[in-house]
């Protein structure tokens, strides 16, 4: 999916989307509920429509802006080890296989099969948002080398298509057929790696859907792949002239491995970038977990139960699933929405404590803030148990000028969390809120003096002293 930018701040990546008006907004352009004590459901300022959270799915950098990363990708530790082993194996095959054609042929087939398997694994993992080369153990796990035979089958179908066209004895049609096969090859390989289906890989409708979903950028991808192929051929010509004949085959394998990994990583990243349109979605780019646009059993069951009005059973299904998959942000969000909709105060707030902590650990500050606002609607006195979550929320509230909520979250933290490492940061923020929001110099100076006395090595002690002077207190 192309990165979306805010409608009113074009340089800001969008965090929220209005499906009714098809407009995207950054955090500065949403109504966080000024009439609800400062926080509330995120809505569009102009139309009041509830907005959909985009989150990290909108942060994929366009592939043409990170070309250097594609060329550096094979030089990482895992792929360098595999490249070295392949070159060493080809050296052994060249030595042992000289008197034995059988050994040379079998060894060469194995190397080609392994390279094909590894290349498709790179494509798969890149599409999922995993930008590190697969390890040797991962390369030998999973479905094995049957992907090689699927690839051969696809190539045979394409060759058969051009042969059939040649029977028409038309030079123009032959040229069109060849150009068409070359153009759709990247799309076919991406479909084959994603779906492991020969039928889909050669299905004109599936290929057209992928190309149309990527749009003009597909032609740019094709151009880059064409240039990579030309660079590989040029370097091989240099190798032929400069290296000894006995090293020619190992050098060719190393060169082919490098450019294949670059090409397949590039194709996989394109799938990742256009994931929503293609139908292959990474749920959370930070966690980099693969999620397909097809219904999972837990989602299907819970959705049906909700439609039938069996809300309690839907809660049980999601709760059971999350006990086994505690880091699934999407399912936590589904459970939170369901509990909040049911107005189940105890269950919703108990789950909220865990979910807020999980979001804080992931650094998802925007979602943390807006979810907290929903819990406040259910219970105005709700407060996270973890001091780190309180501080993170207080920082978000301070940026929005919600000084009263900042003070409520941070008050008496030295009693509730005396061992909290960031206690001086919390009380410095508390003092700022008291000064900026209420001009309460007396109360602010108490917190500042506490920080100065208890934390003499605090990194922001200079700011503490400056605020004390502003309050009229002794430094």
């Amino acid at each position: 999916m192309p990165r979306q930018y805010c409608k009113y701040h074009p340089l800001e990546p969008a965090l929220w989307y209005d499906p009714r008006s098809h407009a995207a907004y950054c955090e500065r352009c949403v109504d966080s509920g000024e009439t609800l004590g400062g926080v509330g459901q995120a809505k569009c300022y102009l139309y009041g429509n509830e907005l959909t959270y985009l989150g990290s799915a909108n942060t994929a950098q366009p592939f043409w802006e990170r070309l250097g990363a594609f060329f550096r990708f094979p030089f990482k530790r895992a792929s360098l080890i595999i490249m070295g082993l392949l070159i060493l194996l080809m050296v052994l095959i060249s030595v042992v296989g000289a008197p034995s054609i059988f050994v040379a042929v079998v060894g060469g087939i194995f190397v080609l099969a392994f390279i094909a398997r590894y290349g498709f694994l790179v494509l798969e993992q890149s599409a999922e948002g995993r930008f590190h080369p697969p390890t040797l153990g991962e390369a030998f796990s999973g479905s094995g080398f049957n992907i090689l035979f699927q690839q051969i089958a696809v190539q045979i179908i394409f060759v058969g298509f051009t042969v059939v066209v040649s029977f028409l004895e038309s030079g123009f049609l032959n040229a069109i057929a060849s150009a068409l096969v070359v153009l759709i090859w990247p799309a076919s390989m991406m479909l084959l790696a994603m779906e492991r289906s020969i039928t889909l890989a050669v299905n004109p409708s599936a290929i057209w859907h992928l190309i149309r979903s990527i749009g003009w950028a597909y032609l740019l991808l094709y151009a880059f792949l064409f240039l990579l192929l030309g660079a590989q051929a040029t370097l091989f010509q240099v190798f032929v002239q400069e290296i000894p004949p006995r090293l020619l085959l190992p050098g060719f394998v190393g060169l082919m491995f490098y450019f294949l990994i670059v090409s397949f990583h590039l194709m996989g990243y394109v799938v990742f970038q256009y994931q929503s349109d293609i139908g292959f979605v990474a749920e959370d780019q930070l966690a980099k977990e693969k999620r397909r646009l097809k219904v999972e059993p837990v989602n299907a069951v819970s959705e049906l139960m909700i439609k039938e009005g069996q809300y309690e059973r839907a809660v049980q299904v999601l709760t059971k699933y999350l006990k086994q998959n505690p880091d699934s942000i999407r399912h936590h969000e589904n459970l939170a929405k369901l509990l909040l909709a049911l107005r189940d105060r105890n269950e919703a707030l108990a789950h909220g404590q865990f979910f807020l902590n999980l979001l804080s650990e992931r650094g998802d500050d925007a979602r943390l803030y807006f979810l907290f606002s929903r819990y406040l609607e259910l219970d105005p006195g709700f407060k996270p148990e973890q001091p780190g979550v309180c501080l993170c929320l207080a920082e978000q509230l301070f940026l929005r000028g919600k000084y009263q909520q900042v003070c409520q979250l941070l008050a008496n933290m030295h009693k509730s969390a005396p061992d909290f490492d960031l206690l001086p940061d919390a009380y410095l923020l508390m003092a700022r809120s008291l000064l900026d929001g209420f001009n309460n110099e007396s109360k602010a100076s108490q917190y500042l003096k506490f920080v100065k006395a208890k934390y003499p090595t605090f990194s922001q002690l200079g700011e503490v002293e400056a605020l004390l002077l502003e309050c009229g207190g002794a430094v």
Side-chain angles (χ1 to χ4, degrees), residues 1-7 9-18 23-27 52-62 65 269 272-277 280-286 364 366-367:
M1 178 180 66
R3 181 181 294 187
Q4 299 187 53
Y5 291 89
C6 178
K7 179 179 180 180
H9 301 90
L11 298 180
E12 293 289 335
L15 287 177
W16 301 93
Y17 178 74
D18 185 352
Y25 303 95
C26 69
E27 193 173 341
T52 300
Y53 180 72
L54 293 175
S56 57
N58 191 40
T59 62
Q61 184 181 11
E65 294 182 3
Y269 186 85
F272 177 74
Q273 180 182 342
Y274 293 90
Q275 52 185 277
S276 295
D277 299 315
F280 184 87
V281 178
E283 173 191 74
D284 184 352
Q285 293 181 21
L286 295 176
D364 200 342
R367 197 195 309 236

Side-chain angles (χ1 to χ4, degrees), residues 70-130:
F70 297 122
F71 286 101
R72 294 191 298 270
F73 184 80
F75 291 115
K76 296 183 180 181
R77 184 173 180 270
S79 53
L80 281 177
I81 291 175
I82 293 175
M83 186 187 300
L85 290 175
L86 288 175
I87 293 174
L88 179 61
L89 181 59
M90 291 309 301
V91 171
L92 294 176
I93 291 175
S94 300
V95 174
V96 178
S100 174
I101 299 298
F102 176 78
V103 173
V105 171
V106 172
I109 291 176
F110 172 79
V111 170
L112 289 176
F114 180 84
I115 291 176
R117 160 66 178 163
Y118 192 78
F120 273 83
L121 187 60
V122 168
L123 199 163
E124 290 174 344
Q125 294 191 0
S126 299
E128 297 166 8
R130 297 173 58 185

Side-chain angles (χ1 to χ4, degrees), residues 337-455:
K337 290 179 179 178
L338 182 56
L339 292 173
L340 287 166
L342 291 173
R343 309 294 293 180
D344 190 337
R345 182 179 179 279
N346 293 334
E347 291 294 330
L349 298 184
H351 174 255
Q353 293 289 354
F354 179 87
F355 191 20
L356 289 174
N357 190 46
L358 181 61
L359 291 175
S360 178
E361 292 175 354
R362 297 287 182 90
D364 200 342
D365 294 343
R367 197 195 309 236
L368 181 74
Y369 168 80
F370 283 98
L371 183 64
F372 174 65
S373 72
R374 298 296 306 277
Y375 292 124
L376 284 185
E377 293 177 25
L378 190 61
D379 180 2
F382 175 73
K383 180 178 179 180
E385 297 173 351
Q386 296 296 326
V389 179
C390 289
L391 178 56
C392 182
L393 285 169
E395 291 170 346
Q396 293 287 312
L397 290 162
F398 182 83
L399 292 174
R400 294 167 172 82
K402 317 301 180 187
Y403 304 114
Q404 181 66 39
Q405 284 77 22
V406 173
C407 295
Q408 291 175 355
L409 285 173
L410 301 181
N412 296 318
M413 188 172 282
H414 66 287
K415 296 180 180 179
S416 59
D419 300 324
F420 183 42
D421 293 338
L422 298 179
L423 184 58
D425 299 85
Y427 275 1
L428 176 57
L429 183 61
M430 182 77 160
R432 291 174 182 165
S433 299
L434 289 168
L435 288 173
D436 295 352
F438 307 100
N439 199 28
N440 192 335
E441 297 179 352
S442 174
K443 194 69 174 179
S445 66
Q446 294 179 20
Y447 285 97
L448 295 169
K449 290 176 181 178
F450 176 88
V451 173
K452 182 179 179 182
K454 298 291 184 179
Y455 301 93

